[in-house]
Amino acid sequence: MLRSIATVSVSGTLVEKLAAIRAAGFDGVEIFENDLLYFDGSPADIRKRCADLGLQITLFQPFRDFEGVSKERLAQNLNRAQRKFELMHELGTDLVLVCSSVNPNVIADDALIVDQLGQLALLAEREGVRVGFEALAWGKYVNSYRHAWQLVDAVDHPSLGVILDSFHTLSIDDPIDPIAEIPGDRIAFVQIADAPRQKMDVLEWSRHFRCFPGQGDLDVAGFAERVLATGYQGPFSLEIFNDGFRAAPTAATAADGYRSLLYLEEQAGLKGARSKDGQPLFTPPAPPAHSGFQFIEFAVDATSVPRLAQRFAEAGFHAAGKHRSKDVTLYQQGGASIVLNAETDSFASEFFHRHGLSLCASAFQVDDAARVFERATSFGYAPFSGRVGPNERVVPGVRAPDGSLHYFVDARPDEPTLYEADFVLSAPDSERTQAVQGELKRIDHVCLDLPADALDTWILYFKAVFGFDAEPAWLLPDPYGLVRSRAVRSADGSVRIVLNASVDGRTSTAQSLHTYRGTGLNHVAFDTDNIFAAVEQLRARDVQLLRIPSNYYDDLEARYDFADGIVNQMKDAHILYDRDAQGGEFFHVYTEQMDGRFFLEVVQRKGGYDGYGAVNAPVRLAAQAQRKHG
Amino acid sequence: MLRSIATVSVSGTLVEKLAAIRAAGFDGVEIFENDLLYFDGSPADIRKRCADLGLQITLFQPFRDFEGVSKERLAQNLNRAQRKFELMHELGTDLVLVCSSVNPNVIADDALIVDQLGQLALLAEREGVRVGFEALAWGKYVNSYRHAWQLVDAVDHPSLGVILDSFHTLSIDDPIDPIAEIPGDRIAFVQIADAPRQKMDVLEWSRHFRCFPGQGDLDVAGFAERVLATGYQGPFSLEIFNDGFRAAPTAATAADGYRSLLYLEEQAGLKGARSKDGQPLFTPPAPPAHSGFQFIEFAVDATSVPRLAQRFAEAGFHAAGKHRSKDVTLYQQGGASIVLNAETDSFASEFFHRHGLSLCASAFQVDDAARVFERATSFGYAPFSGRVGPNERVVPGVRAPDGSLHYFVDARPDEPTLYEADFVLSAPDSERTQAVQGELKRIDHVCLDLPADALDTWILYFKAVFGFDAEPAWLLPDPYGLVRSRAVRSADGSVRIVLNASVDGRTSTAQSLHTYRGTGLNHVAFDTDNIFAAVEQLRARDVQLLRIPSNYYDDLEARYDFADGIVNQMKDAHILYDRDAQGGEFFHVYTEQMDGRFFLEVVQRKGGYDGYGAVNAPVRLAAQAQRKHG
């Protein structure tokens, strides 16, 4: 598979774009006409620069409003095409994208259009170039790939093919099965974009909200599979118009783009797609089967360790062990493990130096750690290895997008557990759940604060490396701005991570990012079988819970039927409540912030409730704001 | 006119919102239910807080999905209403907004709905409250005010009125003339919002893009005039859902909201509206007639004066005078005047201290300076007066939204001119245009860089104080992100100001804001009658022009017909070109940045061209980026 991307998809000057595109691994590039117009050099200079980089110019685009015009206009349009064909010679590409006309006066006459496209094909043949005709979803007359293909098929000239674009097809719910009717060698080019579903004009949606495959809601993999089934042997080329990408660092966006094509190839392959051009599809090692968090690890210093240990002790965690060779301590309750890393001159101390007290690593229980590690690095995510003491377990890890570490730990029945290998434990690991009693059973989910516009990068990371599913996004009002929130999770729900990105700079999410100068932990939620008992236990140890206004409970009673007394019980315990359409219930309570930073949540799920109480997030955000601002 | 605003319109905790709303001048406030739910205190606490502030609670809202339901659901809904009515007693308001149902299963039966609203009216009467029924533009069955009014009219009960909302009416192009059919005393409440036209789902549009009247594209003044013609005597209340406002400082948003209601009253009055409740509509002094910029003034220090003077000299400006009592110098060319203010211990030096070399003031020629000043301050904009030496002119001024000064200067036929009064001139002012020869004739427009989300504030300022019109917004791609651009101008076009706000943090617009730490001058454009002669003159003095890529000119030739040679001439001179639909032409050229900051533009308008060459802005932005980044 030749992997290509349009210059419009990344930020920067053309020189910066080309360098980043090549560095990311792409084989080819579409030159977007505006990038050429803005470039202070000749088309031949661009050709040379691409050749030096080893980048093929796969396409020049777009050529607009060609078809369905008067005889006079046709002559002008052919003249205009002639100029662009000459430019293409200089640029060193033989393929141009002609998109269907958006002119309100386009003549809606297939025979006329076939004749005019035919003349264009003849001109192209004379000039030794090829034309690809693409239906824009908002084309005035031609607006579906099937119509575009009918016209191209009728012209029946080797210099004219059809161009398919996943966005133009999937955005208007155009069926993808008829792609099979197109011979693969008549598809001149394939453009790839995903997008989140938006209720808006399709042109505006396309211009501002496209994203890389895997980051949106469209069935791009299904589209790719249908395309490959035709025997198409040309490039898959990303063409992304995205306001965020326009402002994001060039290299990072290009790297994500390349990974997204790898991910797409894997997903299309899983649907049965096979490449027929001798360049096999990317087939990484399979994603892991998950069985929960192994631990979460905080970068701390000598001063913060006793303070934080005290907070976790109040929350019911017990000091479970000390690392054999490092200044690292382990706290446990039920199946939940927390590691405090105060090791100097280490990854954690670097992290502490940059971010202060913060989440510096997470470890995930998987079926085969080595395989996940191999999968992650095959997508180009950076491997990490730290110092390992004698007899300690070598734990494979990669850098998450914020530079923190994600470790993969598998069960090894014949060996000591990770904790047994690396820690001097206060009790054998097998007796852990007996030894460490408490109402908190395991980590239900972790919520991370991300910089604005980092959401897409993280979604792609979790899908590609972990095989996670991404849930629909929420837009949550904080008293000082909006927060975009999206959860990812393993298929079995044993690992769940909520990603929050502030749309603006004044929300608590954004504020905590200012403190962290990077991604930060917003909170960690622990599962319990009895939230009232859990709250009682927390209160007995003087844990401060976030006060929820009594007005909230009055409204709750007006909205739902409850057994007598339960709402008062929730009110007294500051427990929030949600109910899903199937009657599943969610009870959750928050602590005040610890060390002015993250906080804890305790949750109880009943009757198959599968969300995170997002409907209550504004209540929590407002309560936190009132604590600070009154 | 009782002026009110919904709590949802501004950011912050409820306590912060109420204080800012009162400080801005509002008489009343709508309590949005979520703000009450999130408030950590009782409804009575809110009542007391409002009473202490002197704020009337004009409305409690919203109550949803009441009408068109089964008998069982009606009982539940009446029970739910009963609870909310009790809450309203505690809150101290007697009016609740019931919005039309969005439930997909709503029963589309007017007789049934009339019966159910009638039962609600009876309950309200018993409870001593009133219900206002509002049609949401996206209501499932009831979605226009006329339908809502038909239903309310049929119920015919004094405890039930109709609520009108400018957004719900104007967003769906619902005609406003039939408002006249509603008796004023049957209108329970009026909500006011404007919005920029957006091609999107009306619900999404409403939730994220509403703005204050005067900031958007809707005929809110026409709506208000129709409402007042009914004899309606209740409040006008702003209800604005806006993502930007949610994140903006509370007090500033509230102040703009209050000004926007004043502006709306004036505009409605100009359409013939009269208030009938004894509280007259706001009628400020009339906006000025404009006759161009008097001068623009830069805050400089002793070091930057000679450097900047040199740059302006190269651009053809002559040293025209020195201020009689201050360290202020005047540079002129044709009708364009530039002032360099190096006065220490002054407004300018404060500005220099905060922003460095920057535009600190602009002076505008108007018909009556005192009247404009009075108008500006009546809208609550802050007056400014500086030191005035003996016999110097007292020039009224106000603070623009960024703290810079806007002076108003009128012609006084029997007195010395401003320059004659305040400056020792190198030639009499009457001989200025003779004395100061050059190809630049006058200031065509000034372009300001604004912080993101400041656009609406500036639009309102220029409309309210200057009586300017605002042109449609452009979204311009910079290589490092998008820039939102909107021009304001006097009716005669003698004063034009382009406002640019970067959507993201990496564009050149945003970068210059980082340098300025506030609003900054992006560039100033001078008018010429002969752009080729002007370029020749600039080049003769070694002014560096911004290089425009030759590819731009190749494309220009493909797009338009030109007289022979002219494109080559433009290419050689780095002149950009635009043509409007009527054949009007625009030629413009940019200098390199001066002092690493702003730059100059020279423009020539032909055949009534009335824009700013926005289509070329991306070319300019890319050329500037390439100068810096390659």
Side-chain angles (χ1 to χ4, degrees), chain A residues 10-17 33-34 36-43 46 76 80 83-84 87 198-201 203-204 208 242-250 453 475 477-482 503-506 547-552 554-555 557-559 561 615 618-619 622-623 625-626 629-630, chain B residues 10-17 33-34 36-43 46 76 80 83-84 87 198-201 203-204 208 242-250 453 475 477-482 503-506 547-552 554-555 557-559 561 615 618-619 622-623 625-626 629-630:
Chain A
V10 297
S11 65
T13 65
L14 183 60
V15 169
E16 292 173 320
K17 289 177 187 212
E33 183 170 37
N34 282 353
L36 181 141
L37 299 188
Y38 305 161
F39 176 67
D40 195 7
S42 68
I46 299 174
Q76 289 172 358
R80 190 158 58 95
R83 283 176 176 275
K84 298 299 175 186
L87 186 156
Q198 300 268 355
K199 281 192 194 168
M200 63 192 307
D201 177 72
L203 169 58
E204 291 296 307
H208 301 287
N242 179 298
D243 291 357
F245 291 5
R246 284 182 187 277
T250 317
D453 290 329
L475 200 56
D478 173 284
Y480 303 103
L482 293 170
V503 177
D504 304 288
R506 294 176 74 222
R547 280 176 61 89
I548 302 302
S550 66
N551 300 319
Y552 169 81
D554 294 345
D555 183 64
E557 288 212 275
R559 285 196 289 135
D561 286 327
V615 70
V619 183
Q626 283 175 77
H629 303 277
Chain B
V10 298
S11 66
T13 64
L14 184 60
V15 169
E16 292 173 320
K17 290 178 186 210
E33 183 170 37
N34 281 354
L36 180 139
L37 299 188
Y38 304 161
F39 176 68
D40 194 6
S42 68
I46 299 175
Q76 289 173 357
R80 191 159 57 95
R83 283 175 177 276
K84 298 299 176 186
L87 185 157
Q198 301 266 357
K199 282 191 194 166
M200 63 193 304
D201 177 71
L203 169 58
E204 290 296 308
H208 301 288
N242 179 298
D243 290 357
F245 292 4
R246 283 183 187 276
T250 317
D453 290 329
L475 201 55
D478 173 285
Y480 303 102
L482 293 171
V503 178
D504 303 289
R506 293 176 75 222
R547 279 177 62 89
I548 301 302
S550 65
N551 300 320
Y552 169 81
D554 294 344
D555 182 63
E557 288 213 273
R559 284 196 290 135
D561 287 327
V615 70
V619 183
Q626 282 175 75
H629 304 277

Side-chain angles (χ1 to χ4, degrees), chain B residues 14-36:
Chain B
L14 184 60
V15 169
E16 292 173 320
K17 290 178 186 210
L18 294 176
I21 285 168
R22 184 55 191 159
F26 287 96
D27 312 299
V29 64
E30 297 176 34
I31 301 292
F32 194 67
E33 183 170 37
N34 281 354
D35 278 307
L36 180 139

Side-chain angles (χ1 to χ4, degrees), chain A residues 320-339:
Chain A
K322 286 195 67 68
H323 197 278
R324 293 186 191 280
S325 64
K326 298 177 189 165
D327 190 358
V328 170
T329 43
L330 173 68
Y331 299 83
Q332 295 185 317
Q333 179 174 191
S337 296
I338 286 168
V339 169

